[in-house]
């Protein structure tokens, strides 16, 4: 059972799982319905990614209610390397993710073309958009939202509850929760068209 709104992420999970095993049926429960009531007869995966407070609440309820989680980690895609990496329960790892000697907590979602170097540690509930690179020996806290085209340099530590906007290079550790971005990537100037 996927805890998800009717999103492309849910559709991708059902497609990937069907391609891996056509006998598997993935059901969907709306996050609001899961919060009100859940059942022990299912294994769950948390696909909520827009509202991180709701994402955190759902992960907490999965723990509090002692629900089993299932994961989808693509290992069939030829470019994927997950050698010696550890993935916690409830992870959704898209095709095309490279991870070498990395450790991932529970309920982590990683879109395609992300790269995780040796010694990277990723906390619970993190979400990575496509084409993120995390260099070696870096640590990402829990429930971080890392947008597309972000580069996290080696030996960087990022605390919990951090959002990093697209096209940002993180060169030093982040010790305070909040939103971070590259000011040059978001600079908008008025153009005179006369």
């Amino acid at each position: 059972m996927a805890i998800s709104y009717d999103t492309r992420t849910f559709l991708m999970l059902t497609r990937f799982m069907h391609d891996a095993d056509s006998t598997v049926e993935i059901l969907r429960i709306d996050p609001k319905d899961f919060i009100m009531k859940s059942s022990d007869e299912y294994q769950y995966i948390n696909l909520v990614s827009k509202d991180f407070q709701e994402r955190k609440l759902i992960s907490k309820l999965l723990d509090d209610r002692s629900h089993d989680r299932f994961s989808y980690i693509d290992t069939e895609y030829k470019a994927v390397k997950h050698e010696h990496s550890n993935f916690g329960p409830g992870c959704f790892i898209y095709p095309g993710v490279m991870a070498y000697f990395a450790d991932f907590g529970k309920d982590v979602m990683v879109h395609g073309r992300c790269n995780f170097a040796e010694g990277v540690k990723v906390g619970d509930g993190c979400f990575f958009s496509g084409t993120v690179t995390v260099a070696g020996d870096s640590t990402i806290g829990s429930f971080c939202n890392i947008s597309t085209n972000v580069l996290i340099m080696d030996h960087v530590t990022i605390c919990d509850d951090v959002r990093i906007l697209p096209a940002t290079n993180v060169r030093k550790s982040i010790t305070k929760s909040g939103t971070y971005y590259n000011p040059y990537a978001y600079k908008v100037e008025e153009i005179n068209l006369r």
Side-chain angles (χ1 to χ4, degrees):
M1 178 81 65
I3 305 162
S4 177
Y5 295 103
D6 192 9
T7 63
R8 183 173 299 276
T9 302
F10 171 70
L11 293 175
M12 295 308 290
L13 175 66
T14 57
R15 173 198 239 173
F16 296 151
M17 296 216 39
H18 183 267
D19 288 349
D21 181 354
S22 61
T23 64
V24 174
E25 181 184 8
I26 304 297
L27 302 174
R28 184 181 71 81
I29 184 170
D30 189 272
K32 306 283 190 231
D33 294 336
F34 174 82
I35 290 167
M36 298 301 292
K37 185 178 180 188
S38 58
S39 170
D40 287 335
E41 70 179 277
Y42 297 108
Q43 290 182 319
Y44 292 94
I45 190 166
N46 182 358
L47 300 184
V48 173
S49 60
K50 297 288 184 197
D51 181 343
F52 263 64
Q53 292 307 315
E54 187 174 53
R55 183 168 176 73
K56 286 171 85 170
L57 174 60
I58 288 167
S59 288
K60 182 179 182 323
L61 291 173
L62 285 167
D63 289 340
D64 292 350
R65 297 173 183 172
S66 300
H67 288 308
D68 288 332
R69 291 168 166 90
F70 74 92
S71 295
Y72 176 82
I73 301 166
D74 185 88
T75 57
E76 299 300 317
Y77 187 69
K78 291 178 183 174
V80 173
K81 301 289 184 193
H82 298 309
E83 297 170 359
H84 309 289
S85 291
N86 298 309
F87 297 91
C91 288
F92 182 13
I93 310 299
Y94 275 61
V97 172
M98 307 281 267
Y100 300 97
F101 296 95
D103 290 311
F104 295 81
K106 62 188 170 203
D107 301 332
V108 174
M109 285 199 321
V110 182
H111 283 252
R113 300 180 62 199
C114 290
N115 299 294
F116 299 87
E118 300 87 0
V120 169
K121 292 178 179 45
V122 175
D124 296 342
C126 288
F127 175 85
F128 294 85
S129 292
T131 65
V132 172
T133 298
V134 184
D137 298 312
S138 291
T139 301
I140 312 296
S142 295
F143 296 99
C144 291
N145 183 350
I146 314 297
S147 297
T148 191
N149 291 328
V150 168
L151 169 63
I152 299 171
M153 301 301 284
D154 57 335
H155 302 283
V156 165
T157 298
I158 297 174
C159 68
D160 297 346
D161 302 308
V162 167
R163 181 177 183 206
I164 302 175
L165 298 182
T168 300
N169 292 344
V170 180
R171 296 181 176 162
K172 61 183 181 177
S173 293
I174 297 174
T175 58
K176 184 178 178 186
S177 298
T179 300
Y180 294 83
Y181 62 94
N182 174 356
Y184 300 107
Y186 293 90
K187 188 174 184 180
V188 177
E189 295 183 19
E190 183 179 349
I191 298 173
N192 188 348
L193 298 176
R194 290 187 212 186

